[in-house]
Amino acid sequence: MQVRYGRRSGKAKERAGMESYEKEEIPYPPLLPSTVDLQQVTIIPHAEWERIRDSLNKLTREAAVLRAERTAKKNMHMKSQELVKHWTNTYAGMKEQKLRAKQKRDEELEAERQILDLEEEIYKQGERKKAIENAKQYQFYQTERVKRFHSGLLLSRVMKERDVQIQYKKNAVKSDEKWEEQVKLNDAKALKEDQEKLEKQRRERVALAKDHLKQIKEHEEEEETRKKSEEKDAEEIKRQNLLYEIEMKKKLSRKQEEIDASRKRFFDNMRDKNIIRAVEQQQQEEEEEKTRKFIKAKKRLIQMRKDKEAETHR
């Protein structure tokens, strides 16, 4: 048996009911079990059923709506944060930009200091190397073996040259006595020239040694002057740092004094405002009291007039 809104129908009505059911697309089944007592069944309109179901699901829908709104607000907040994160005209952006600029300046200053230290160390190493080479060369020239070697080399060259000359003279004029005298004179002259040359070389070596010693002394004096200059610069830097710290402390002190003065002015202003507010409130209360008295007196006059009119009427 089929029930359509509490009615029983035959086959024709059943077919019509089924067709109307398919057209209306009712969301609940049209058939009821055969054991159900139709007298106990309550038939309600479809709109009423929808209203009941909506009222039951109202809290769930409201919770879903609240969750959706909260999610939308959170997404909007995240988008806003992501959007303003790279802005430079905000307080956070300007602060970040200043920090980056300060970090960049510090890195550049540190790189420049490292380059200057490296150049100074290279220059010092070169100077030390030059001084060591000059000292080694001077010590090498001052050794007895080198001196004897130079003397022997010069003497051998001179003797060889003299032997060549003697042999040449002997071959040229063997029988001439004059030639022998000339040879003696040439030998004496050559020997004298050799001695003069040796003496000149000795003087040059002494002068060179003195020059080396003078250069070493000058380098030592330059090094001492440079050390004194560095110490003086270090003292000056220390003094400048101390002056900077003192100036910063003064600035902080002045800033704190300004802050204290601003706070004092603020509290004085607030106290003056409170006093003015209290005076205004008192004046307002006095005005209200005057108004009340005036109204009360007016009411009393009206009542007296009414009493007088009533008495006149009587």
Side-chain angles (χ1 to χ4, degrees), residues 299-314:
K299 287 181 179 180
R300 189 181 298 110
L301 289 173
I302 292 171
Q303 185 65 36
M304 289 174 64
R305 188 181 296 113
K306 287 181 179 181
D307 294 341
K308 188 175 181 180
E309 289 178 355
E311 184 178 359
T312 303
H313 181 71
R314 286 195 301 272

Side-chain angles (χ1 to χ4, degrees), residues 83-97:
L83 182 62
V84 303
K85 183 170 65 176
H86 302 290
W87 288 1
T88 57
N89 56 350
T90 59
Y91 287 109
M94 288 189 289
K95 184 177 180 181
E96 184 68 23
Q97 192 174 5

Side-chain angles (χ1 to χ4, degrees), residues 99-280:
L99 289 175
R100 290 179 180 175
K102 184 177 182 299
Q103 185 177 4
K104 187 176 180 181
R105 288 196 301 272
D106 293 339
E107 290 177 356
E108 291 176 354
L109 291 174
E110 184 63 26
E112 291 178 358
R113 284 196 294 269
Q114 291 179 359
I115 291 171
L116 290 175
D117 294 339
L118 182 60
E119 291 177 353
E120 186 177 359
E121 185 65 26
I122 292 172
Y123 175 75
K124 289 180 180 179
Q125 289 180 0
E127 293 296 325
R128 286 196 296 269
K129 189 175 180 181
K130 287 181 182 178
I132 292 170
E133 291 294 333
N134 293 329
K136 286 182 178 179
Q137 188 176 8
Y138 174 74
Q139 290 177 358
F140 178 73
Y141 286 154
Q142 293 300 317
T143 55
E144 292 295 330
R145 188 175 65 179
V146 175
K147 290 180 180 179
R148 286 197 300 270
F149 174 74
H150 281 291
S151 299
L153 181 62
L154 292 173
L155 184 60
S156 64
R157 288 178 180 176
V158 171
M159 294 302 294
K160 187 176 179 181
E161 182 68 24
R162 190 181 64 178
D163 292 340
V164 172
Q165 290 178 0
I166 290 170
Q167 187 66 31
Y168 176 76
K169 295 292 183 180
K170 283 181 180 181
N171 292 332
V173 284
K174 290 183 179 180
S175 61
D176 195 359
E177 294 178 357
K178 207 176 203 183
W179 175 81
E180 292 179 359
E181 294 293 333
Q182 186 69 31
V183 168
K184 290 179 181 179
L185 291 173
N186 290 333
D187 291 340
K189 185 178 180 180
L191 183 61
K192 186 177 179 180
E193 290 178 354
D194 292 338
Q195 290 177 354
E196 291 177 354
K197 189 181 291 185
L198 291 173
E199 183 64 22
K200 183 179 180 181
Q201 290 178 354
R202 187 186 66 79
R203 288 197 300 270
E204 289 178 352
R205 287 196 298 270
V206 172
L208 181 63
K210 290 182 178 180
D211 187 47
H212 286 320
L213 289 173
K214 184 178 179 181
Q215 290 180 359
I216 292 170
K217 188 175 181 180
E218 288 178 354
H219 287 310
E220 290 177 353
E221 291 177 354
E222 289 178 357
E223 185 69 19
E224 186 68 23
T225 304
R226 187 186 59 78
K227 288 182 179 180
K228 290 181 179 179
S229 178
E230 289 181 354
E231 291 176 356
K232 186 177 179 181
D233 293 339
E235 291 293 332
E236 181 65 22
I237 291 170
K238 186 176 180 181
R239 189 178 66 82
Q240 292 293 335
N241 291 331
L242 183 60
L243 292 175
Y244 175 75
E245 291 178 358
I246 293 171
E247 185 65 23
M248 289 302 294
K249 288 181 180 179
K250 289 182 179 178
K251 287 183 178 179
L252 291 175
S253 178
R254 288 196 297 269
K255 188 174 182 181
Q256 186 64 35
E257 290 176 357
E258 290 177 357
I259 292 172
D260 294 338
S262 298
R263 186 182 292 111
K264 184 178 180 181
R265 288 195 300 271
F266 174 76
F267 285 120
D268 292 340
N269 191 12
M270 290 297 296
R271 186 166 56 253
D272 295 338
K273 286 183 178 180
N274 292 330
I275 294 171
I276 292 170
R277 192 180 294 110
V279 171
E280 289 178 352

Side-chain angles (χ1 to χ4, degrees), residues 57-68:
N57 296 331
K58 182 178 181 181
L59 295 176
T60 304
R61 285 200 309 275
E62 290 179 354
V65 169
L66 290 175
R67 285 196 299 271

